[in-house]
């Protein structure tokens, strides 16, 4: 089971920052997840529309200039990074899940990823684009650059989610812990879809994901999750 640093390493470093990304890489994750919004003509890595929770500022990121956004303190001396800065920091040492938080980020992200995949084969199948928006799923599916993966997130799981994702040629179903269900995992696997689960911080949830054969978990504590999964899978294979 792969470990994905959620928002970098949100439990141990400021979320969605270059420091968080570096902490996750140092822990040894094979994947990192970050959230992206298009503001001031740039792709910024931030979860909320408001900057209040994660920086020393207030108000919507969309109401700010480039200079205002870049002057915000995101904690531990960090600023809100751009997607390009995150890609440069990871340098394909881990795969990257870019979660699109607004529709405006869609085309700029596609253009950036297409250019990156053309330029650097190391990123081939190392970038996943995901979103909760169904209109974005369809646009991504039709315009996905060669070698880029699609992940399906939905707030509510429809009965036909597996065929929906398979029709879109998605790589994975990205489920929340409450959405996790044995039959759904088996059905997804039978259709060739991987199952990723967020946000798995509790040991009991790690156990459940291992038991159900989940492919990857998003966690705020990647170093701890890597340690636990290593121990648990070692004892299973030794038994
Ligand atoms: O992509 C998985 C997870 O990050 C989705 O939820 O709210 O943490 O972005 P959220
Ligand atoms: Mg996210």
């Amino acid at each position: 089971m792969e470990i994905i640093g959620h928002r970098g390493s949100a439990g141990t470093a400021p979320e969605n920052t270059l420091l968080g990304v570096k902490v996750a890489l140092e822990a040894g994750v094979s994947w990192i997840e970050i959230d992206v919004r298009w503001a001031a003509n740039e792709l910024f890595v931030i979860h909320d529309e408001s900057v209040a929770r994660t920086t020393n500022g207030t108000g919507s990121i969309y109401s700010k200039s480039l200079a205002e956004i870049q002057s915000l303190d995101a904690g531990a001396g960090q600023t809100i990074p751009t997607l390009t800065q995150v890609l440069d920091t990871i340098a394909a040492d881990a795969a990257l899940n870019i979660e699109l938080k607004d529709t405006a980020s869609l085309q700029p992200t596609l253009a950036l990823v297409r250019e990156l995949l053309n330029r650097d084969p190391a990123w081939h199948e190392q970038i996943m684009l995901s979103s909760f928006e169904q209109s974005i799923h369809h646009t991504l599916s039709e315009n996905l650059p060669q070698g880029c993966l699609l992940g399906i997130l939905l707030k509510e799981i429809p009965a036909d989610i597996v065929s929906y994702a398979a029709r879109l040629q998605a790589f994975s179903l990205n489920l929340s812990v409450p959405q996790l269900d044995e039959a759904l995992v088996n059905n997804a696997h039978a259709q060739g879809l991987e199952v990723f689960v967020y946000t798995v911080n509790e040991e009991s949830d790690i156990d459940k994901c291992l038991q159900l054969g989940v492919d990857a978990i998003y966690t705020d504590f990647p170093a701890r999750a890597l340690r636990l999964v290593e121990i648990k899978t070692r004892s299973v294979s030794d038994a």
Side-chain angles (χ1 to χ4, degrees):
M1 188 165 74
E2 307 284 318
I3 304 299
I4 309 172
H6 186 235
R7 308 183 194 174
S9 180
T12 62
E15 71 177 47
N16 284 323
T17 63
L18 297 183
L19 176 62
V21 165
K22 287 176 197 157
V23 168
L25 288 174
E26 279 160 20
V29 296
S30 47
W31 279 86
I32 290 173
E33 186 260 6
I34 48 103
D35 307 290
V36 163
R37 293 180 181 273
W38 176 252
N41 286 314
E42 180 56 90
L43 288 163
F44 280 106
V45 176
I46 187 167
H47 183 276
D48 304 355
E49 174 184 344
S50 166
V51 300
R53 184 177 59 81
T54 54
T55 76
N56 63 340
T58 56
S60 166
I61 192 166
Y62 302 122
S63 66
K64 299 190 186 303
S65 68
L66 189 73
E68 283 170 340
I69 295 169
Q70 291 182 321
S71 72
L72 293 170
D73 180 351
Q78 297 296 295
T79 54
I80 301 173
T82 63
L83 178 56
T84 299
Q85 288 175 309
V86 167
L87 287 161
D88 289 347
T89 300
I90 298 175
D93 287 338
L96 179 64
N97 179 185
I98 303 166
E99 187 193 337
L100 306 176
K101 286 295 189 192
D102 60 23
T103 307
S105 64
L106 177 53
Q107 292 303 338
T109 302
L110 278 172
L112 194 158
V113 170
R114 188 170 292 114
E115 191 276 324
L116 180 70
L117 288 168
N118 280 337
R119 175 164 46 88
D120 188 351
W123 282 106
H124 187 84
E125 296 196 345
Q126 297 293 296
I127 295 189
M128 174 188 284
L129 300 180
S130 65
S131 170
F132 281 105
E133 294 297 322
Q134 285 186 260
S135 63
I136 294 182
H137 296 163
H138 287 97
T139 309
L140 283 175
S141 178
E142 285 157 20
N143 297 280
L144 211 59
Q146 173 78 22
C148 182
L149 309 174
L150 170 62
I152 299 297
L153 289 160
L154 286 167
K155 295 278 184 203
E156 303 291 334
I157 299 294
D160 67 344
I161 185 167
V162 170
S163 55
Y164 172 78
R167 263 200 317 280
L168 293 172
Q169 294 185 288
F171 177 77
S172 61
L173 286 186
N174 301 353
L175 306 174
S176 67
V177 171
Q179 291 170 343
L180 183 59
D181 169 84
E182 184 170 11
L184 183 52
V185 174
N186 293 340
N187 190 3
H189 283 161
Q191 292 297 315
L193 292 160
E194 297 217 348
V195 177
F196 288 18
V197 179
Y198 63 94
T199 305
V200 182
N201 293 332
E202 301 298 325
E203 187 171 350
S204 56
D205 288 331
I206 292 178
D207 289 340
K208 186 173 179 190
C209 289
L210 282 170
Q211 188 213 328
L212 294 184
V214 163
D215 300 284
I217 57 168
Y218 299 82
T219 180
D220 295 327
F221 300 92
R224 176 173 176 270
L226 279 160
R227 206 166 52 238
L228 283 172
V229 168
E230 210 270 321
I231 292 166
K232 287 166 190 287
T233 49
R234 195 196 313 144
S235 59
V236 166
S237 56
D238 286 352

